[in-house]
Amino acid sequence: MGKASTRDKILDAALTLFSEKGYDGVGVDLIGENAGIKGPSLYRHFKGKEDILNSLIEKVGAYYELNFGSENHIDRIPESVEELLTFSMERIRFTMHDVTLQKTRRILVMEQFRNPRIAELTSKHHMDGLQGMFQKIFEAMMEMKILKMDDAGTMALEFVAPVSLLIHTYDRQPEREAEVMEKIKKHFEHFAKMYAN
């Protein structure tokens, strides 16, 4: 891999600092220091702290879509209920263990009540976007007669809401990972029993 650009170093430093201290608890000088540059040099790359946050949101959003998927980017439709469960568990493991996503979730949780854009992103990433993605997957799986015909939006809500809550449990208490994973697995298995054709 190539050497990280100064811009990427700034964004990486901001991600870590915002996730630890919150947006308001971090100044551009501290971001610059953690990126290995003088605070004023940061302005060669960004207009200010809000520009850093906006660029960070865009970068992490693209990273998430590429590595997890979205309703606009579904890399494959599972061809069986078993494949759906495997597909979903792979994404759960990625979400729980990816350091970038862990830090991003912390920022979203801390800042959602202070910043309307962050509030919107929190809803999108914790529920609405996931529900939309799985609704499309379930619609396709119903057409393939893998899942029973039902309301795909409601099915998607049933599928993702408990998982989102359980991932937040893991974020607060990582020592409960085994318990959280077992509950998610049982939830997916129950969903399969209810909706498999």
Side-chain angles (χ1 to χ4, degrees):
M1 272 187 117
K3 189 176 172 187
S5 70
T6 301
R7 184 178 170 83
D8 284 335
K9 287 179 184 176
I10 293 166
L11 291 175
D12 291 344
L15 176 65
T16 298
L17 289 167
F18 292 161
S19 74
E20 292 171 353
K21 301 174 182 291
Y23 178 78
D24 290 338
V26 177
V28 292
D29 289 338
L30 185 58
I31 294 169
E33 179 184 320
N34 278 263
I37 62 170
K38 300 277 187 217
S41 298
L42 185 139
Y43 292 102
R44 285 190 214 134
H45 304 277
F46 298 97
K47 293 175 189 166
K49 192 167 79 164
E50 187 172 341
D51 189 28
I52 293 171
L53 179 63
N54 290 334
S55 297
L56 187 58
I57 288 166
E58 288 175 24
K59 181 181 177 182
V60 172
Y63 175 80
Y64 183 80
E65 185 161 333
L66 178 68
N67 291 285
F68 184 94
S70 71
E71 60 186 306
N72 299 317
H73 175 75
I74 300 170
D75 60 351
R76 72 183 194 279
I77 299 295
E79 295 183 11
S80 68
V81 173
E82 295 76 20
E83 192 178 331
L84 171 66
L85 301 184
T86 301
F87 170 92
S88 301
M89 290 303 289
E90 287 169 359
R91 277 151 182 77
I92 297 300
R93 285 186 195 90
F94 168 72
T95 298
M96 287 173 59
H97 295 121
D98 185 87
V99 175
T100 297
L101 297 183
Q102 289 173 343
K103 291 176 182 180
T104 301
R105 280 195 305 277
R106 280 189 220 124
I107 294 168
L108 294 177
V109 168
M110 282 191 281
E111 300 301 326
Q112 65 185 319
F113 301 106
R114 296 183 228 182
N115 181 320
R117 182 162 182 222
I118 297 290
E120 187 179 319
L121 283 168
T122 303
S123 295
K124 177 184 175 188
H125 287 291
H126 293 178
M127 187 57 60
D128 301 339
L130 289 170
Q131 184 180 358
M133 177 178 155
F134 279 97
Q135 179 174 339
K136 285 187 173 183
I137 290 170
F138 295 159
E139 286 168 350
M141 290 180 76
M142 283 188 276
E143 285 178 26
M144 296 161 59
K145 306 213 182 310
I146 297 167
L147 296 177
K148 294 175 185 172
M149 293 303 289
D150 208 317
D151 181 282
T154 301
M155 289 169 65
L157 181 61
E158 288 176 26
F159 194 74
V160 301
V163 175
S164 186
L165 289 172
L166 287 163
I167 288 173
H168 288 294
T169 298
Y170 165 77
D171 285 342
R172 288 186 302 274
Q173 298 172 290
E175 69 277 6
R176 293 179 64 186
E177 179 178 358
E179 172 194 350
V180 164
M181 291 302 284
E182 185 61 24
K183 285 181 177 179
I184 290 171
K185 184 174 176 267
K186 285 182 177 177
H187 166 61
F188 286 164
E189 289 169 352
H190 178 73
F191 182 90
K193 282 182 194 170
M194 295 293 293
Y195 291 108
N197 211 358

